[in-house]
Amino acid sequence: MTIYYKNVYLNNTSCVTGPYEKKGPLGKYFDKSYKDLYCGEKSFEKGEIRLVKDSLNILLKKSNLSKENIDLIVGGDLLNQITASTYGSLGIGDFIGVYGACSSSVLSMIIISNFIEGGFINNGISLVSSHNMTSEKQFRYPTEYGAPRPSSSTFTATGSGCLLLSNNKSNIRVESSTLGRIIDLEENDPNDMGRVMAPSAIDTLKRHLDDTNRSVDYYDLILTGDLGKYGLEIVKDYMKEEYDITLNNYNDCGVMLYDLEKQRDVHAGGSGPVCSALVIYSYIYELMKKKKLKRVLFLATGALFSPLLLYQKENINSICHAISLEVVE
Amino acid sequence: MIFLYSFLFCGFICLIGQIILDNTKLTPGHITSMFVVIGAFLDTFNIYDSIVKIVGGGALLPITSFGHSLIHGALSNAHENGIIGLFMGMFDKTATGIVAVIVFSFFFTLIFKPRD
């Protein structure tokens, strides 16, 4: 399903990160970075909540708004019961929690855009966070275990990103969005998320192009959320072979967030809901403000699974939501 | 010479682990359990003991020696107490290792925090 918007604008963003993201090529674009993964708290989970609180406070400060001015927050993360978002946004605005795994960033943007376009609210904050250590614990191994990771694995980004959407005119607007479908291609390796999520990115991209009657050249840049370097190749190859579409203007946020040559620890690239947000809300947002990029399609991919069902031999499903951002001329 | 053999054998076990990890979907947990079973299997036919004689500590250090100790304890107790001894003796030889792990883990968690 593709929805079009006429009245939804991007007003401001904020990004708070951990140490690895700061050392990456986009380090200078972030508002604040912590030097260690505890972020001054006693546990990794509390550290993630600190990241959320910081990014919300920075966003409110940057856009000269008080807590009372915010109509709605839509947020998601990877912790059990999405607690980083709920604890972090306590006391600010009405709240909707979403879980789309790593696709939460776009999912929350779509929900807010719908509310604004429908005239129900004037503004809303899309909020996402993830934390490398808490998600390792959640989806793979206990942090104390120190398990080695294969080269296909991606590295969950640490940070929190906020985006203020409203009906106040600005230079960048939300143009359309395409909701994702759940895809199951019988993959079950939690250390190879790129392969799991690439099919859903391809599916949503194709449906978006079909629904809107556009070619890929319509966009200055097409970005996937966190497929990593192998997932990126899969998307390129498949689009070429199956649909004869050459993706020249395509990149992946997981590949952009880190320097894959220097930061070997990240293996195939970044992942997590905040991975895409950190790239879009900082670097891409700046480029769009300077009108260096005019039309950007943003496909956030998410792997939907629980470790419990994986032990019971179920597959990992995936989903991908797309949102199109446009510079207002 | 025993030092060289020891080094080579232990390295060989690690090499197998790395090859499995890089080329299959098996997790570190799978590999650890597999090595315990292999150690136990080899000891059942007295092969592991012969290896220990040649390479010394290099064979006692990897997790395969845990399987070796399990069987050793079980069999020696079985000689004295019959079938029931298999169950009684299983953790005789390995108890030191297990208790040491629990005690040291406890003390280390008091001092250190997990890191990335």
Side-chain angles (χ1 to χ4, degrees):
Chain A
M1 181 173 65
T2 299
I3 309 160
Y4 296 90
Y5 306 97
K6 290 196 177 69
N7 200 23
V8 186
Y9 299 89
L10 275 69
N11 289 111
N12 223 328
T13 63
S14 70
C15 293
V16 181
T17 75
Y20 291 94
E21 295 68 28
K22 182 72 184 169
K23 283 177 202 152
L26 307 182
K28 60 181 173 186
Y29 293 98
F30 304 134
D31 296 297
K32 183 178 180 182
S33 294
Y34 281 96
K35 285 199 174 118
D36 81 294
L37 289 176
Y38 282 97
C39 311
E41 298 287 338
K42 280 192 170 168
S43 73
F44 294 132
E45 284 75 12
K46 287 180 183 173
E48 186 171 346
I49 294 168
R50 163 68 38 209
L51 290 168
V52 173
K53 283 182 177 166
D54 280 355
S55 66
L56 273 170
N57 287 335
I58 290 172
L59 182 75
L60 291 177
K61 211 173 170 186
K62 272 169 96 175
S63 31
N64 284 325
L65 289 170
S66 69
K67 291 174 185 176
E68 292 74 34
N69 300 130
I70 302 301
D71 292 340
L72 178 67
I73 296 179
V74 180
D77 59 83
L78 294 177
L79 288 185
N80 270 341
Q81 292 84 31
I82 51 170
T83 37
S85 304
T86 54
Y87 280 63
S89 47
L90 180 70
I92 311 173
D94 297 356
F95 181 82
I96 297 176
V98 291
Y99 186 82
C102 310
S103 68
S104 302
S105 52
V106 167
L107 181 59
S108 57
M109 283 164 79
I110 294 176
I111 294 172
I112 292 176
S113 302
N114 291 353
F115 270 101
I116 294 174
E117 186 70 14
F120 303 111
I121 58 170
N122 292 320
N123 62 24
I125 295 177
S126 155
L127 160 81
V128 281
S129 70
S130 59
H131 189 293
N132 183 270
M133 283 293 131
T134 61
S135 65
E136 280 298 308
K137 205 185 279 186
Q138 189 85 49
F139 294 107
R140 292 175 196 99
Y141 301 104
T143 43
E144 296 86 348
Y145 188 35
R149 300 181 313 128
S151 62
S152 62
S153 66
T154 44
F155 184 88
T156 309
T158 305
S160 172
C162 286
L163 169 71
L164 179 70
L165 291 162
S166 78
N167 51 15
N168 277 342
K169 282 200 171 162
S170 76
N171 288 331
I172 308 164
R173 73 182 188 97
V174 179
E175 189 267 332
S176 63
S177 72
T178 302
L179 284 168
R181 288 177 184 166
I182 296 166
I183 306 272
D184 176 14
L185 282 189
E186 301 187 352
E187 293 289 345
N188 51 19
D189 186 357
N191 278 315
D192 193 356
M193 290 302 191
R195 187 196 301 268
V196 173
M197 298 189 292
S200 63
I202 294 162
D203 175 71
T204 305
L205 175 58
K206 186 74 178 78
R207 282 193 300 114
H208 179 80
L209 296 175
D210 287 350
D211 284 356
T212 53
N213 279 324
R214 288 170 189 164
S215 76
V216 280
D217 302 324
Y218 176 85
Y219 292 102
D220 296 330
L221 183 64
I222 296 173
L223 276 173
T224 45
D226 57 348
L227 297 182
K229 58 180 176 186
Y230 301 114
L232 179 140
E233 293 301 324
I234 294 173
V235 172
K236 274 187 175 172
D237 286 353
Y238 192 87
M239 290 302 282
K240 179 78 192 154
E241 278 184 20
E242 191 69 21
Y243 306 117
D244 199 26
I245 295 172
T246 315
L247 287 171
N248 296 321
N249 49 353
Y250 163 63
N251 209 338
D252 182 70
C253 296
V255 175
M256 294 165 77
L257 185 60
Y258 300 104
D259 188 333
L260 298 190
E261 288 301 314
K262 284 183 191 155
Q263 295 176 295
R264 287 298 172 99
D265 288 350
V266 305
H267 294 287
S271 67
V274 88
C275 173
S276 47
L278 287 181
V279 175
I280 305 275
Y281 296 177
S282 64
Y283 179 58
I284 301 296
Y285 183 70
E286 288 299 319
L287 286 183
M288 290 189 83
K289 269 209 298 200
K290 289 176 187 157
K291 300 198 176 177
K292 283 182 182 161
L293 288 173
K294 290 193 172 155
R295 294 180 182 131
V296 176
L297 182 67
F298 175 20
L299 300 148
T301 44
L304 303 173
F305 75 106
S306 80
L308 192 71
L309 280 176
L310 213 55
Y311 298 147
Q312 297 173 12
K313 308 277 179 209
E314 281 294 325
N315 299 326
I316 303 178
N317 297 341
S318 64
I319 194 160
C320 174
H321 302 291
I323 198 159
S324 152
L325 307 177
E326 210 174 75
V327 170
V328 182
E329 293 294 342
Chain B
M1 212 54 192
I2 194 165
F3 293 111
L4 180 68
Y5 288 145
S6 180
F7 174 74
L8 290 177
F9 183 81
C10 202
F12 177 66
I13 302 270
C14 299
L15 175 74
I16 297 174
Q18 190 66 45
I19 289 173
I20 299 173
L21 198 67
D22 284 347
N23 294 296
T24 66
K25 285 183 182 177
L26 295 180
T27 64
H30 285 115
I31 297 170
T32 310
S33 337
M34 212 163 74
F35 279 178
V36 172
V37 174
I38 290 172
F41 180 79
L42 290 177
D43 194 57
T44 314
F45 301 102
N46 269 334
I47 302 171
Y48 209 87
D49 275 340
S50 331
I51 298 175
V52 172
K53 266 180 203 142
I54 302 166
V55 306
L60 293 172
L61 193 68
I63 192 70
T64 40
S65 88
F66 190 82
H68 154 251
S69 313
L70 281 176
I71 294 294
H72 253 290
L75 289 184
S76 66
N77 213 311
H79 282 302
E80 293 164 22
N81 301 314
I83 279 290
I84 199 85
L86 280 178
F87 297 90
M88 290 162 67
M90 192 71 89
F91 289 105
D92 271 3
K93 296 271 195 301
T94 49
T96 340
I98 295 171
V99 175
V101 165
I102 295 169
V103 171
F104 286 125
S105 308
F106 171 72
F107 284 113
F108 278 105
T109 50
L110 292 181
I111 307 168
F112 296 110
K113 275 172 146 185
R115 287 194 54 191
D116 55 310

